[in-house]
Amino acid sequence: VDMTFNQQLLKVLLDFDWPYPSYPAHISRPLPWFEIVTYLPGFSPEKRQDWIALHRRFRTQLEETLPSTRLLIFEVREGWPPLLDFLEVDPQLASSLARSSFPHTNQIAHMRMARAVLDMIAITLPLWLVLSAWLIPKLVVKLCCCCIRWTPRFNVARWIWRWKHAKAKTR
């Protein structure tokens, strides 16, 4: 990913230096096919306070520049009411939405579970490949034999073969 444009943009607009690391700096690789991202590239733990300061400075600039009718500082914990008021949603629709719960699908437990499942799939990938290479030919043979056994043409051919051999035995 080429991040030079983002680096230049942050430097020119906000005077913020962002050294984007090379590939191996933020990734550990316990197995040749399995990578663990220790932190997002360019967002190292040492730079955390710098990013927080940049965010606060940018937010302050927005608050000073834009009128309050065009800028909403939205806190997700507040739910629907501030968002619906700012967007000037129809009061009837707004009241029905305000009664429903605000969506919160990014629960950390769900994300950790999904990550654990994906990690297990990635770690056992060679095993899945070996099992597939061993099992698929066996299934194909079973299915083909089953299909051939029940086709009418094959049954007719077997009947003709038995009839010819029965004739040969009687001679």
Side-chain angles (χ1 to χ4, degrees), residues 42-165:
F43 300 99
S44 64
E46 301 87 36
K47 297 282 283 178
R48 178 178 165 79
Q49 293 305 318
D50 294 339
W51 281 102
I52 291 171
L54 173 70
H55 174 75
R56 288 184 179 144
R57 190 174 68 191
F58 186 64
R59 180 178 169 171
T60 305
Q61 287 176 355
L62 285 175
E63 289 172 348
E64 291 171 355
T65 309
L66 294 172
S68 61
T69 57
R70 296 205 45 216
L71 177 67
L72 170 68
I73 306 297
F74 181 64
E75 187 66 41
V76 177
R77 291 181 211 105
E78 295 174 6
W80 288 114
L83 183 61
L84 296 174
D85 291 341
F86 180 77
L87 295 174
E88 298 173 353
V89 176
D90 177 45
Q92 186 178 4
L93 179 61
S95 65
S96 66
L97 275 174
R99 279 184 260 122
S100 66
S101 63
F102 195 76
H104 55 286
T105 56
N106 291 339
Q107 293 179 348
I108 193 73
H110 294 152
M111 293 178 149
R112 285 186 179 145
M113 177 61 77
R115 176 60 196 241
V117 168
L118 291 173
D119 284 350
M120 288 307 298
I121 290 171
I123 288 171
T124 59
L125 184 63
L127 178 64
W128 288 105
L129 294 174
V130 169
L131 284 175
S132 298
W134 174 75
L135 189 59
I136 288 175
K138 291 184 180 293
L139 289 175
V140 168
V141 168
K142 288 279 188 192
L143 289 174
C144 289
C145 289
C146 186
C147 294
I148 290 172
R149 188 177 305 139
W150 295 107
T151 57
R153 190 181 68 152
F154 185 73
N155 288 336
V156 170
R158 190 173 7 176
W159 178 79
I160 292 171
W161 182 83
R162 284 182 184 164
W163 180 68
K164 283 185 179 180
H165 285 282

